[in-house]
Every structure is written in structure tokens, then in C-alpha cells.
Amino acid sequence: MPAEIREQTTAAPAATPTGDPSPPRDRARVVEWTLFWIGMVSLVFANHKVTWDARRRFDALDQLLSGEGLSEDRYSLVGPLFATPMWLAGQVVGRADGWLAYFNLVVFALGLLALHLLLRGRVDAGLRRRFLLLLVVGSMVPAHISNFYAETFSAMTVGVGLLAACLAATHPWPRRLGWAGMALGTANIAATIPALALTAADRAVRLRRLRYAVPVAAAVLLVLGEAWLRRGDPLDQGYTGERFDYPMALGVLAILFSFGKGLVWFVPGLFLPIRRRLRGLYDPDAVDLWGAYRSWLIYVGAMVAVYANWWAWSGDLYWGPRFFLLAILPAALALAVWLTRPDTRAWVNLVLLGVLSLSVWVAADSSVFESSGAPRCYDKANLQEDYCRFGVVESDLWYPLTDWPGHLAVGRYAQLVFFAVVWAWLAAPVLARLARSANGWLRAHPVPASSQWRW
């Protein structure tokens, strides 16, 4: 297979007004990159802030960089330390917390750039483009880049690192940087060490390589070293007294299926099978794309098992399943694969249309309604958080549909129109296939003349 994977298309060339053929893939490239950049600009106008646990992370970084020493707070400084340039800029030209509110947007943008460079020339161009587009306009990322939390840094460093480790390039530095990213992202959230260990063990067994133990060992040393420096005991992670008494089976079911936090609702593409459909869409001599996808799934699955037993598996009142942001990578790739390699069966296209519609709604909801939670859950005098975790009406995902906010600015309505345009563009081929299937069925099952309706 050639090193440069060209974009595949199943459509016939379209004709321009002058009669010259114009390949549909050229038009698709222009439209989809335009939608991508509009989506990136829209992320700038998210409700950026530094609140709740993010404020504790900021305070710990601010204390260190102000020369007041290390905080003993339990939240890791591994990720926040990379925000030092933005903190310094905030000291010079404005409030530091105002600048750090955009840190995760910068991290996400750099992660997308890294994914683009790692996949360019190694996978089908249309697949790469739709994968990046769906990460912006078909995932829950808008709600997660708007605050100074840890999940975006970990998701991007681990996710990009796992992909880099699957490159077949002759030069080892991309893979080494990938391992470093895995170690840093995992150390930033110590609870994910078992997930990295399981992912590394899977690759080590399959490829007979011991080197995949290196990022695990590095992550463990970072976690122990930070605890030693900040709290005087490498085993003191700052979570003394935390309860791990939630029934594990119920925790797994809740993480997967609860209406307010369930992965099946917030990252539906995660459940699309792609192994056979992925063949031919990438150069296996350049990148093990299936291996990277498999590693993403193992990492996410191990995280589900780790968090299921914790009383705070839901991430409290944060929008959506915040701990599992990494799941947007395999989910977006799977959906992009199905959009790039279509299927003619009607029921398959109905499922694909549902997954696409839900994915775009997740992005729209997390971008426009992220701060519009159900009052029943957020009333400080009478908190009833389980309604937001398990209920349909109070779920972050569905609440705007049942109680439309009356205070939306014009810009938010413009964002909704943009997401509708994205959905229409990506759904058009699926709807066309459904229409052809319906037409074929009607032709194969004509209505008898004797049963035709009359006035």
C-alpha cells in the first residue's frame, strides 16, 4: 500500500456550470475544513471560567509560582504546571485566572494539531478530516475546555501519546514523545494508572515488547514523587477518607447507561464496531490505527472499572461524564469511519443517523446550554443530585428540550444554527441512502390497484 493514502469517494464526479468535472471530494474538503474552523472559533466563545475544583488547581499553581511554596492540596500540579506561560502572561497584562480559563482550549487545539500531523499521509484524507471535525462539533468537548479542570490535559496527552506509540516510522522520537505524553497525562490523574498499566500490558503482550512498561513506571514515579514533595509521604495522595463503597456493578451500569452521565448517550460513537470497516482506510506500514483505537478503548474501559466503585463516579454536578473525556477519540474515529465507508442497508443507516444526530446534539448542548442546569439539582438548600445523574428530564443532555432557557443570547442561537448546518452536511448522504432504500422497497412492494385509496 502506498505511503500516501488518498481520499476515497463512492460518488460520481459532479459537473460545474462550464461542464468540467469537479470531484465531490474537493468540495467536501473545502466545506468540512470550513466547518472545522468555524467550530474552533465557536469554542473561544464558550463560558470560560475558573470555578469549583478548578479554582483549587489554580490556587495551588498560583501559590507555587508566586513563591509561596507547594500546596498540600490533593489535585495534581503535573498538568497545571504546563499553564505557567499563560499564568505569567496574566501577571503582565491581566488577571491570571482569566488567562488560565482558556488553558484547556489551547491544550485541545494543540492536541488536534498533533493528531492532524500524526495522521496526515497515513490515513484516508476524508477520514482524517471528519475525525477532527467530529472532535469539535460532535463531542462533549465544549463543556470540558471551558474550565481549568484536569481531564482535557490528560485526554489529549494520553490519547495523542497512544496514537504516536502506534506509528511505524523509522525515527523513534515521535513514539518516545508519545510515551512521555502518556506518563504525564496519567500522572495528572493518578486514578488512571491502572488504565495505563492495562493498556501497556495489552500492547506488550501483543507485540512482545517490554518497553511499554516505561510510561507506566514513569507515571507511578511522578505520582509518588509529587506526593512526597507536597505532603511528605509518597503514599499520601490526599484522598484520605474517600469512600469506595459504591456497588461496582451498579457503578458500571450508571457510567454506561444513566441518562445524566451515561457514555451511551454522551459518546454514542464509542459503541460502533469498526474493525472490518477500517480496513483500507489507513496504511498499516505507516501506523497501526486499529491498534491505537484498541488502546483507547482499553484505557476507557479500565477507567470505567476504576471509577465504578468510587462514591463520586459521576463527577458530581459537572456537565456530562467528565472523567471519561478520552472516550471522544475512539467515538469520533468510529463515527468518522462509518461516514467515510458507507453501508447500503437501511437499518444500518438508521442507526448511523441516530448516532450522528445524538453526537452533534451533545456538542451543541455542551456548547450552548452547559451552564443551564435543572434547578432541582442545583438548589443549595435542597440538593437532589441523583435527579441530574439518573433522571431524563433533569439530565444535562435533555433538560434544555423540556425547559428551554429564555435568556439565550443571539450568539447562542447562531451557534445552534451552525450545529444544524453541520448535522445537515454530514447527514445528507445518510438520508439519501435511506431515501433510496425506501424507494427500492416501495418498488419491490407495489400497492395493489384494488387497495388504492379513493376520495
Side-chain angles (χ1 to χ4, degrees):
M1 183 176 292
E4 181 71 22
I5 303 295
R6 297 185 179 276
E7 181 173 357
Q8 299 184 5
T9 179
T10 57
T16 63
T18 60
D20 297 329
S22 176
R25 61 174 177 264
D26 291 341
R27 182 169 61 250
R29 181 168 58 248
V30 172
V31 172
E32 288 169 4
W33 278 123
T34 300
L35 293 174
F36 170 85
W37 285 111
I38 294 175
M40 288 298 294
V41 171
S42 75
L43 294 180
V44 177
F45 298 98
N47 183 27
H48 293 276
K49 53 196 174 293
V50 178
T51 58
W52 297 6
D53 292 349
R55 172 57 61 175
R56 293 172 62 176
R57 290 180 171 87
F58 169 78
D59 289 342
L61 179 66
D62 186 65
Q63 177 178 325
L64 175 63
L65 298 181
S66 298
E68 299 175 12
L70 283 167
S71 163
E72 295 183 2
D73 193 77
R74 66 186 181 182
Y75 295 120
S76 175
L77 276 169
V78 172
L81 280 173
F82 285 84
T84 299
M86 299 182 72
W87 183 89
L88 293 172
Q91 296 298 312
V92 175
V93 297
R95 292 175 51 198
D97 58 346
W99 279 72
L100 266 63
Y102 290 84
F103 171 68
N104 279 327
L105 175 58
V106 174
V107 170
F108 179 62
L110 292 174
L112 292 181
L113 176 61
L115 290 170
H116 169 73
L117 295 175
L118 291 173
L119 296 175
R120 186 175 60 180
R122 296 181 173 96
V123 306
D124 174 79
L127 173 62
R128 171 172 53 90
R129 189 174 61 242
R130 293 178 195 108
F131 170 50
L132 297 176
L133 174 63
L134 287 167
L135 285 174
V136 178
V137 301
S139 79
M140 58 182 176
V141 79
H144 292 75
I145 52 85
S146 61
N147 213 331
F148 191 52
Y149 274 70
E151 285 72 29
T152 302
F153 179 86
S154 291
M156 289 295 103
T157 51
V158 171
V160 174
L162 285 171
L163 178 61
C166 292
L167 293 182
T170 55
H171 204 287
W173 278 108
R175 295 194 297 273
R176 291 173 182 172
L177 290 174
W179 297 339
M182 285 184 258
L184 290 170
T186 300
N188 189 46
I189 304 178
T192 60
I193 287 178
L196 180 60
L198 185 61
T199 305
D202 172 72
R203 291 199 62 81
V205 170
R206 289 172 60 233
L207 301 178
R208 301 293 190 270
R209 296 289 186 273
L210 295 176
R211 62 180 177 231
Y212 288 103
V214 173
V216 182
V220 170
L221 290 175
L222 282 171
V223 169
L224 296 178
E226 182 181 6
W228 197 354
L229 287 172
R230 298 178 68 180
R231 290 175 287 275
D233 183 352
L235 300 181
D236 183 2
Q237 297 301 314
Y239 283 85
T240 304
E242 288 289 318
R243 303 192 315 276
F244 291 86
D245 55 0
Y246 201 84
M248 187 166 184
L250 295 181
V252 171
L253 289 174
I255 290 170
L256 293 178
F257 301 111
S258 61
F259 289 108
K261 301 289 182 176
L263 298 181
V264 72
W265 308 111
F266 287 83
V267 279
L270 188 68
F271 303 91
L272 291 174
I274 67 167
R275 183 164 191 173
R276 288 186 296 177
R277 199 160 294 271
L278 190 60
R279 294 170 184 167
L281 291 178
Y282 69 98
D283 182 358
D285 294 328
V287 61
D288 181 11
L289 188 58
W290 166 252
Y293 174 80
R294 174 190 172 99
S295 294
W296 288 338
L297 289 184
I298 292 173
Y299 200 102
V300 172
M303 288 177 65
V304 171
V306 169
Y307 281 99
N309 198 228
W310 189 29
W311 71 273
W313 60 267
S314 64
D316 293 331
L317 291 175
Y318 199 91
W319 193 99
R322 85 174 210 221
F323 297 134
F324 307 99
L325 185 62
L326 177 66
I328 67 174
L329 292 172
L333 179 63
L335 185 51
V337 167
W338 279 87
L339 292 173
T340 304
R341 183 66 64 74
D343 196 297
T344 58
R345 291 171 292 179
W347 72 269
V348 172
N349 283 293
L350 281 173
V351 171
L352 178 59
L353 183 63
V355 171
L356 173 63
S357 301
L358 184 54
S359 298
V360 175
W361 170 248
V362 166
D365 184 53
S366 67
S367 181
V368 177
F369 304 107
E370 180 264 337
S371 59
S372 301
R376 188 175 189 178
C377 307
Y378 292 89
D379 182 6
K380 293 183 178 180
N382 185 27
L383 285 177
Q384 302 181 66
E385 298 178 17
D386 276 347
Y387 282 106
C388 278
R389 296 185 182 116
F390 298 103
V392 179
V393 176
E394 292 85 4
S395 166
D396 287 328
L397 203 54
W398 310 116
Y399 176 69
L401 298 178
T402 61
D403 190 0
W404 190 267
H407 59 277
L408 282 184
V410 175
R412 297 303 181 193
Y413 280 105
Q415 283 183 296
L416 289 174
V417 171
F418 165 70
F419 284 108
V421 171
V422 171
W423 177 87
W425 170 261
L426 295 175
V430 184
L431 293 171
R433 292 194 294 273
L434 285 171
R436 287 194 294 269
S437 296
N439 183 59
W441 188 91
L442 291 173
R443 287 179 178 273
H445 301 82
V447 179
S450 60
S451 63
Q452 289 182 353
W453 290 57
R454 295 179 177 84
W455 180 250

